[in-house]
Amino acid sequence: MKSRWSAFLVGLTAQIVFSATFLGLPAASILFQRALQLDMSELAVFLGSASIAVVVTEAPWGMAADRFGERRVLLAGIGITVLALTGLGIASSLSVTPPLWVLALLLFVAAGAGGAVTGPSGSAILGWFDARRHATLVTLRVASVPVGGALGTVAYAILLEALGVVGTFIAAASACALVGALVALLSFDPPRGHDSDGPPSGVLSDPRVWRVAITGFLLDVSQFLVLTFAATVLHQLFSVPVAVGLTWVTVMQLLGGALRVLAGVGTDFLPWLSRARVVRGLGLVQVMCLAPFLCGTALPVHLGIALMVIAGIAGCAWQGAHFSHMAILAGPGGAGAALGLNNTATSLGAFTAQVMAGTCVVAFDWPVTVLLLGALPAFLASLLFPGDSVERAPR
């Protein structure tokens, strides 16, 4: 029986499955490298095609969801993804490994179509539920992304060992097809208001939407500098064993993910806890924890570890309130376009941190790099993030 809760849970399930499908790929990269007989540069092209596809397709998918409804967009995206993943399975089964461009193109199409799910229209949540649940439900949708990524990492390791690369791609396609069936049976769109008939891109003329997106880019630069390089920084500055550093990174992600949900839900139920306070406050926590690294090896070891862990937790906790703010700011008629823009901005932020860190370390050193790519972006985001507003973005 269709209900708003069944539709929400189906959307949540779709998010988890597609996050598992595409975010689990990098963690299993060495297994795919062996199975597809790729060298390191070819592996980078293969996996990079998925990352690029998500960046370039999420905003268009969000605008399409505003215009045509989330259900139609989900079904279209899922259908294309199933076909592309099946094509990857067939291509991988051939006696001669297909050219790299064929594999990369199929993965690009699959991940790009998956953007219909990973950049979903928040207009559905805003249309189904009253205002006191908006931040909670958007936060849960956002929090399902890393959950899916973690499940995908485990699933790929098991499937590749048991079924090989061909069976793994077919299994991924089957899981997506099952989600598509659930969407067809249980999902439906909320009633569309008159404002939904206008161009969905109209919300992008609101400067507040762009300010939120820019802060998403900046905060993701800081977040992924810490998540990607914390173990390296702690090892090179304080001789912390790499295994210990990676353990602390896991702690950051687990505690940060829990705080992400609590902070997002809290903005619905605690009158004094606004979304702007959460995002700005967590940004400033990162600044205060990362700026002391400019002292380099003069910083006490245990203090350095503690500061890095706290910065990592804060860096993983802002997304729920941040994405909720974007959806509520844009309103039901424009939330898809706004969230798509926000997803694109955060993806670019993660990419920027990972690419620029190496250049900065060569030009300077880790203390200066942590300041430039960690503390400074978080500080700018805290200044730029707009205040809460009950008004919808102008069309």
Side-chain angles (χ1 to χ4, degrees), residues 122-146:
S123 58
I125 290 176
L126 270 61
W128 284 324
F129 300 95
D130 56 49
R132 64 189 176 89
R133 290 196 174 106
H134 287 167
T136 298
L137 297 179
V138 173
T139 295
L140 291 176
R141 191 79 177 250
V142 172
S144 67
V145 174

Side-chain angles (χ1 to χ4, degrees), residues 2-30:
K2 291 184 178 181
S3 71
R4 59 179 184 170
W5 286 107
S6 67
F8 171 74
L9 291 175
V10 167
L12 196 68
T13 302
Q15 182 74 77
I16 292 173
V17 170
F18 276 76
S19 295
T21 302
F22 298 109
L23 295 185
L25 279 173
S29 59
I30 188 171

Side-chain angles (χ1 to χ4, degrees), residues 32 36 46 81-95 98 102-103 106-107 110 163-173:
F32 281 105
L36 297 174
F46 178 67
T81 299
V82 170
L83 292 176
L85 288 174
T86 302
L88 268 172
I90 294 173
S92 303
S93 69
L94 301 177
S95 57
V102 174
L103 298 174
L106 287 170
L107 185 59
L163 304 177
V165 68
V166 177
T168 296
F169 281 130
I170 297 301

Side-chain angles (χ1 to χ4, degrees), residues 163-263:
L163 304 177
V165 68
V166 177
T168 296
F169 281 130
I170 297 301
S174 300
C176 294
L178 178 59
V179 169
L182 291 175
V183 170
L185 291 173
L186 298 176
S187 182
F188 67 101
D189 292 318
R192 297 169 62 84
H194 295 295
D195 58 338
S196 299
D197 298 330
S201 58
V203 69
L204 301 183
S205 64
D206 186 348
R208 296 173 299 173
V209 167
W210 285 96
R211 285 172 62 186
V212 174
I214 292 170
T215 59
F217 168 82
L218 293 169
L219 289 169
D220 240 41
V221 171
S222 180
Q223 176 191 359
F224 275 85
L225 175 81
V226 173
L227 291 183
T228 307
F229 300 106
T232 303
V233 173
L234 293 176
H235 177 69
Q236 295 194 6
L237 293 184
F238 309 117
S239 299
V240 175
V242 173
V244 174
L246 292 174
T247 300
W248 282 119
V249 172
T250 302
V251 171
M252 297 175 197
Q253 292 175 308
L254 292 174
L255 295 182
L259 183 58
R260 176 189 304 184
V261 174
L262 291 175

